Amino acid sequence: MTGTTSERPGGRRPKRVLIVAQLDGYANSVRPLAIERFLREQGHDVHLVDTHCLARASSTRGSLGRMLPGSPRPSKLALYANDVASKVLTRRWAFGRRHLSYYVLLTDHRLRRRILEADLPLDDFDLVLCATPYDAGVLTTGTSAETLYDCPNPWADEVLHEGRLTVRQHRRFRRWEKDFLDGMEHLSFSWETYGRYAKAQYGISGDNFLQLNWGCTPSADRAHFARPPRVVYLGSLSGQFINVPLLARLCRLYPHIDVYGGPPPDPSLGLRYRGYASPDVLREYQFGLITCTRDPIREEGFSAKHLHYLAYGLPVLVPAWRRHLDLLRGSVPYTEEDFTTVIDTLSHETRWRAVGDEAYEQARQLDWNRTLEPLRRLLDGSLRRPEPETSLAVPYESSGRTGSAP
């Protein structure tokens, strides 16, 4: 656990904030670290706890300790055993994945609550913020601190569409999650449309919403036009929802797609895999690429890499079925059938630059310093809780346009 303290602007007492997150090196790391930076710049005393390897001897990637239990305590040994059961029973065994994931997930949630309650001095903080559903049980321990659940997306439906629940288990899981979400003191989602989805599909009230949209840091060095246009995919290559098979098919359709991220894909897919890279590599490309499986929650949602692309002024190629693209201007809808046509249409500098300018302006509107502003007001005590029907703030006045090819 690390933390810093500095004098706050305006002479107000700095607040002590605890952030509980799982830093996986991909999207799950981006948002907690952005929140940490934002709050420290506001002068608060911020402590970030990484629970990614909570039951392991080491968190170092590739080390032996990452495979071994890290404590003889019964709760941590139970969590380690549950992790092993998850890998053995639900990762590769289709029956286990569908029928046993429910029990593994809830066991993980309950054990983590117990461990974190014992390990963390929760009452020493003014605000405890949790950014992962696995650890969010820590917010129900009765701490005197104010609490905020920064929910990535509705969990039960996410797990269902990954093929990890039966229909009956999904009903039970969703009922449990609805009560859990309604019981939070403050609740945010990673993107505002997830909150709308949860209200419509789960029936949550939304009275506790403190919406913090995902943000980005616009780059001072934007991407430039080049021919032939090069397309980049940057992000995780694990997880069913990534739709790596679609990515492979698009790579066969258009030869100028480079893929960064991990874990390394199966060579038989034929991807132009470039390994790991920092977001700075995006300035070398002309389009960012989103691929994902289609299901109701993906239709309503967004991808974290989308904002990385916008931050460099890249037009973003997005599956045409994704909704609410008016909230992400600079998006270019595509289907597998018209993918190359869409790129060809924007392969003229004037057209490409117009969409790129729209993308970069959108990034400026979604700067972290804007999207996290409600969090600053919460800690300042100046936040007014909005009425339920207006609780999901739109970060800008939408033009209703997307960067579609003319």
Side-chain angles (χ1 to χ4, degrees):
M1 182 185 295
T2 60
T4 61
T5 306
S6 59
E7 191 65 30
R8 263 193 95 192
R12 293 186 178 182
R13 180 181 70 84
K15 298 295 180 67
R16 302 196 73 220
V17 180
L18 175 65
I19 301 172
V20 180
Q22 293 192 22
L23 306 183
D24 64 354
Y26 299 103
N28 289 332
S29 299
V30 171
R31 187 169 168 94
L33 292 173
I35 293 172
E36 179 189 33
R37 174 203 57 79
F38 175 79
L39 292 178
R40 286 183 174 173
E41 289 179 355
Q42 297 296 318
H44 295 294
D45 178 9
V46 185
H47 298 247
L48 176 62
V49 174
D50 178 11
T51 66
H52 190 56
C53 295
L54 187 61
R56 305 303 172 114
S58 171
S59 59
T60 303
R61 187 184 297 273
S63 68
L64 178 62
R66 192 159 176 163
M67 302 170 60
L68 300 174
S71 170
R73 284 169 49 189
S75 56
K76 286 201 171 184
L77 284 176
L79 181 60
Y80 177 82
N82 193 66
D83 288 348
V84 172
S86 176
K87 287 182 171 59
V88 172
L89 300 176
T90 70
R91 299 293 175 88
R92 299 182 183 276
W93 184 28
F95 179 88
R97 179 179 178 84
R98 184 167 181 80
H99 292 269
L100 302 180
S101 294
Y102 172 81
Y103 304 102
V104 169
L105 288 169
L106 286 185
T107 298
D108 180 87
H109 181 88
R110 291 162 182 158
L111 287 170
R112 285 173 174 272
R113 178 188 186 278
R114 185 185 309 167
I115 293 167
L116 294 173
E117 181 182 17
D119 287 357
L120 300 177
L122 302 174
D123 292 341
D124 291 349
F125 294 91
D126 298 291
L127 175 68
V128 177
L129 183 154
C130 185
T132 163
Y134 303 98
D135 300 312
V138 73
L139 302 178
T140 66
T141 59
T143 174
S144 60
E146 202 162 2
T147 57
L148 167 61
Y149 178 25
D150 188 32
C151 181
N153 54 48
W155 193 20
D157 285 17
E158 167 92 357
V159 176
L160 173 71
H161 296 304
E162 289 180 343
R164 301 173 68 189
L165 295 175
T166 65
V167 173
R168 182 182 178 188
Q169 288 172 348
H170 174 246
R171 286 197 300 266
R172 293 171 61 190
F173 204 169
R174 187 190 262 194
R175 285 196 301 269
W176 171 85
E177 188 181 14
K178 175 188 180 299
D179 292 341
F180 186 80
L181 295 176
D182 273 333
M184 292 293 100
E185 184 173 9
H186 300 290
L187 173 65
S188 179
F189 288 90
S190 59
W191 194 242
E192 62 191 87
T193 55
Y194 286 137
R196 298 174 191 168
Y197 177 95
K199 289 181 71 173
Q201 301 299 324
Y202 280 57
I204 66 173
S205 69
D207 293 345
N208 55 355
F209 279 166
L210 175 69
Q211 182 55 36
L212 308 172
N213 270 349
W214 200 279
C216 65
T217 302
S219 172
D221 188 7
R222 289 178 52 181
H224 299 283
F225 181 75
R227 286 190 182 134
R230 298 173 65 202
V231 180
V232 59
Y233 175 95
L234 176 68
S236 173
L237 292 167
S238 65
Q240 180 179 338
F241 65 90
I242 296 298
N243 205 345
V244 174
L246 172 61
L247 178 59
R249 294 195 299 272
L250 296 179
C251 287
R252 289 193 288 271
L253 289 172
Y254 190 75
H256 306 294
I257 299 177
D258 289 341
V259 177
Y260 298 89
D266 186 337
S268 67
L269 292 170
L271 304 180
R272 287 167 54 95
Y273 179 60
R274 303 301 192 189
Y276 292 88
S278 73
D280 290 345
V281 75
L282 297 176
R283 64 170 63 99
E284 302 173 12
Y285 292 86
Q286 286 68 56
F287 293 95
L289 178 60
I290 303 291
T291 61
C292 46
T293 54
R294 184 174 185 177
D295 58 58
I297 200 169
R298 304 290 165 208
E299 288 180 351
E300 297 292 327
F302 86 117
S303 300
K305 64 177 71 68
H306 200 137
L307 276 79
H308 272 319
Y309 299 150
L310 295 178
Y312 285 82
L314 286 176
V316 184
L317 299 163
V318 189
W321 46 258
R322 176 158 276 178
R323 303 180 61 194
H324 310 299
L325 292 183
D326 58 313
L327 300 178
L328 290 165
R329 293 172 295 176
S331 300
V332 182
Y334 74 86
T335 66
E336 196 169 343
E337 291 72 26
D338 69 7
F339 183 72
T340 57
T341 301
V342 168
I343 294 175
D344 288 344
T345 303
L346 290 177
S347 295
H348 303 277
E349 185 169 4
T350 301
R351 294 176 180 174
W352 178 87
R353 190 169 300 281
V355 182
D357 287 346
E358 192 174 47
Y360 193 70
E361 177 58 26
Q362 179 66 90
R364 293 177 59 194
Q365 296 295 331
L366 292 172
D367 187 294
W368 284 114
N369 291 328
R370 292 189 180 210
T371 63
L372 297 178
E373 175 64 13
L375 187 55
R376 181 193 67 79
R377 298 203 307 270
L378 173 67
L379 290 171
D380 279 351
S382 61
L383 181 73
R384 292 184 178 180
R385 189 183 295 276
E387 296 299 322
E389 62 270 17
T390 61
S391 58
L392 286 172
V394 177
Y396 63 91
E397 291 298 324
S398 171
S399 66
R401 296 182 294 113
T402 62
S404 55

